[in-house]
Amino acid sequence: MKKIVYLTSHHWDTKRQGGFHKFAEYSADNGYETVFFSFPRPYYGYFMQREQLNPVLLKLLNKGATYKTEKGSELINVTFSTLRLPDGITRFLPDFFANWLLTHSIKSFRRFDKKFFKDADCFVFESCEGVALLKKIRKLHPEAKVVYRPSDPMVYASIPERVKKLEVAMLKDADLVLLVNDKGLEAYKKEIPDFETSVNFKILSNGVDIESYLKSYDKPKALQKENTMLYVGAWEVEWNLIFECADKHPEYNFVIVCPNLPGKEILAQLENHKNVNYIPGIKPAEVPAFITNCSVVIVPYVTDFYRDRPLGITAKYYQAMAAGKPIVAYHDTPLLKDAGAEVTYSYEDFEKALEKALKTPSPEYSFNLNDRTWEKICGKFLEEIKNL
C-alpha cells in the first residue's frame, strides 16, 4: 500500500481538526502518499463567508493545496465542487436527484480522480455526505480498499433518510468499518438488525495528545479573568443555560469557543452579557493553552443532544482529563459519571455542579488515557489498513 485518500467534511487548515487530521498526518509521516479530500463543497459556497464555504477556500482547494506536517512530510488537500443545493431546497427533491446533484459537477470527476487519486490503494471515508461517492470510487478503483470511519454515526433523527440509506450502503460495502465506541455499535444495531453479520467492523477509539495537555502555556487573553468556564467545540451549546448562569453568577466568566456562528437573537443577548465571551473558533494549536488555563471545562450541549447522537465520551473530555481540569457537562452521555466527570440534566444541577467544580480545581479521574494517545491509535489504525 502506497497511497491513501481521506474523504472528510473538514479541510486541512481548519479551526476544527479531528481524528482524520491525525490519521492523515501519521500516514504521511510514515511514507504514504496522502490526499485529504474535503467533500462536499458545493458551488453555492462561492457566495458564502463561512469557514468551510467561502470563495477563497474553494478556489484554493479546487486547484489542490500542498501542506507540510510538523515532521516535514507533505500531503495534498483538494476538493471537487458539485451542484449540491442547500438543505432547505434539497429536502423537497426526490432522493435520486438530490444525490445526483451532490455527486455531479460542471467538471469531470473522472478527470479530477485521475489527477489527484491515481494509483490510490485505499479510500478512508468519514461519516458525512461524502459516502455518496462510494459507487464512483468503486468503479474507478476496483482494486482499492474502502474503509469507513464513522466518528459521528449518521443515524440520528435530524439526518435526512436519503443520507441514512447512503450510510447503510457504505457500512455493508466497506472492506472495514472502524467504529469509535460501543455507543456507535448500539446505534447501528438498532437501525440495521443484521449489522453484526453483514458488516465487517472493529472498534478503534479516538485519541488525545496527552503530552500537549501536561505542559504550561501563557494564559490567553480571553481567560485573564477569574472563574473562567470554557467550552471549546463544534456543536451548538444551550445558550439559555449559559445566559441564566451568567445572570445568577456575575463572578463567573463564560468563554464559548465555537466556529458555528450563533443566530441574531443570541448575538444580541451576548451584547448584554459582559461575562459571556463568544469566540468564533481558534486554531487547533491554541486549544491546549485554552484548556490548561481555564478554571472549569464545560460542555453545555443543547437539551437532549446526547439522545440523538451516540458519540460516547469524546476527545474534548480526554483533553480536560489529561489537563486535570474539572469538567461539567449538560445533556451528554451518562458514561461520564463512571469516568469521574460531572454530567447534569437540568439547569439547576448544572449551576450547582459549577459551584462544586470551582471548589475542586484538581479532580481525579478513573478514566485510563494511557491507551488513548494519538500515536498508539494512529499506529493501530494504519496497521488495520495494511492488513486488509
Side-chain angles (χ1 to χ4, degrees):
M1 192 171 293
K2 297 180 180 179
K3 184 172 182 177
I4 304 175
V5 177
Y6 293 87
L7 198 154
T8 169
S9 62
H10 301 289
H11 53 277
W12 188 256
D13 187 16
T14 178
K15 294 179 179 179
R16 54 177 91 183
Q17 286 193 356
F20 266 50
H21 285 80
K22 297 296 183 182
F23 293 145
E25 184 175 55
Y26 192 84
S27 62
D29 288 340
N30 278 271
Y32 295 86
E33 186 178 350
T34 302
V35 180
F36 208 68
F37 180 26
S38 303
F39 189 89
R41 294 293 187 277
Y43 281 115
Y44 69 76
Y46 280 92
F47 303 96
M48 303 183 72
Q49 291 298 330
R50 292 168 54 186
E51 188 206 4
Q52 293 185 329
L53 295 176
N54 62 75
V56 174
L57 177 68
L58 293 179
K59 288 177 183 177
L60 175 70
L61 297 189
N62 271 291
K63 293 180 180 178
T66 300
Y67 294 93
K68 286 190 175 183
T69 69
E70 289 186 4
K71 294 183 179 180
S73 305
E74 288 190 349
L75 55 80
I76 188 169
N77 186 192
V78 299
T79 196
F80 180 73
S81 293
T82 70
L83 301 169
R84 182 193 188 281
L85 296 175
D87 291 335
I89 300 175
T90 301
R91 61 194 178 96
F92 295 110
L93 302 176
D95 288 356
F96 79 90
F97 187 45
N99 291 337
W100 188 92
L101 292 171
L102 170 63
T103 57
H104 285 75
S105 172
I106 59 175
K107 299 180 293 184
S108 165
F109 184 79
R110 182 180 291 271
R111 213 173 286 164
F112 169 85
D113 178 274
K114 187 175 182 180
K115 181 178 180 180
F116 293 110
F117 302 161
K118 184 180 179 181
D119 298 326
D121 303 294
C122 181
F123 289 82
V124 184
F125 284 74
E126 186 183 25
S127 43
C128 64
E129 279 191 307
V131 296
L133 290 175
L134 176 63
K135 287 186 178 180
K136 285 181 178 288
I137 296 299
R138 283 295 198 192
K139 183 177 181 179
L140 294 171
H141 302 269
E143 302 300 320
K145 300 299 183 181
V146 169
V147 176
Y148 185 42
R149 170 64 169 185
S151 297
D152 302 322
M154 297 189 294
V155 293
Y156 47 89
S158 57
I159 290 288
E161 284 299 318
R162 68 175 182 84
V163 178
K164 291 181 182 180
K165 292 177 182 177
L166 291 172
E167 184 183 38
V168 170
M170 168 62 74
L171 287 163
K172 293 191 173 185
D173 186 71
D175 296 290
L176 177 64
V177 174
L178 290 173
L179 304 176
V180 174
N181 52 40
D182 289 327
K183 287 295 179 183
L185 175 57
E186 291 173 13
Y188 283 134
K189 286 167 64 176
K190 289 180 181 177
E191 293 288 324
I192 308 172
D194 63 340
F195 182 86
E196 291 184 286
T197 57
S198 63
V199 176
N200 180 30
F201 73 93
K202 292 184 179 180
I203 294 179
L204 179 66
S205 70
N206 277 331
V208 62
D209 291 316
I210 294 177
E211 291 185 359
S212 297
Y213 295 90
L214 298 175
K215 298 177 182 177
S216 297
Y217 302 89
D218 291 336
K219 184 174 289 189
K221 184 178 179 181
L223 299 173
Q224 293 292 333
K225 298 178 180 180
E226 295 183 349
N227 301 327
T228 48
M229 312 294 178
L230 172 70
Y231 169 74
V232 179
W235 293 106
E236 186 181 356
V237 302
E238 181 85 349
W239 281 106
N240 288 336
L241 170 63
I242 300 300
F243 292 139
E244 183 173 307
C245 286
D247 288 335
K248 290 183 177 179
H249 295 275
E251 73 277 16
Y252 294 174
N253 289 284
F254 292 88
V255 180
I256 308 298
V257 181
C258 181
N260 292 330
L261 188 68
K264 292 181 179 179
E265 291 184 6
I266 300 300
L267 291 174
Q269 290 192 64
L270 284 167
E271 290 293 324
N272 298 321
H273 288 83
K274 301 304 179 185
N275 60 335
V276 181
N277 182 12
Y278 168 69
I279 300 173
I282 56 178
K283 288 289 186 180
E286 299 177 76
V287 175
F290 271 72
I291 297 294
T292 56
N293 279 294
C294 71
S295 303
V296 180
V297 171
I298 60 173
V299 186
Y301 286 145
V302 173
T303 298
D304 281 338
F305 172 90
Y306 78 105
R307 296 183 188 278
D308 197 30
R309 293 170 174 80
L311 304 181
I313 297 178
T314 54
K316 60 172 57 65
Y317 293 111
Y318 301 156
Q319 294 167 353
M321 291 176 190
K325 291 294 178 179
I327 301 168
V328 177
Y330 175 78
H331 274 256
D332 206 349
T333 175
L335 292 174
L336 289 166
K337 293 181 180 179
D338 297 331
E342 288 284 345
V343 56
T344 64
Y345 300 95
S346 71
Y347 282 22
E348 182 181 2
D349 287 344
F350 181 81
E351 182 186 346
K352 289 179 179 178
L354 292 182
E355 295 177 17
K356 179 182 175 182
L358 285 173
K359 296 175 182 177
T360 315
S362 301
E364 292 185 5
Y365 294 105
S366 59
F367 203 82
N368 185 1
L369 292 172
N370 292 333
D371 291 329
R372 302 293 178 116
T373 65
W374 272 119
E375 185 71 19
K376 289 184 179 180
I377 297 299
C378 289
K380 292 178 181 178
F381 170 82
L382 195 55
E383 193 63 31
E384 292 288 354
I385 290 179
K386 288 162 61 177
N387 289 337
L388 286 175

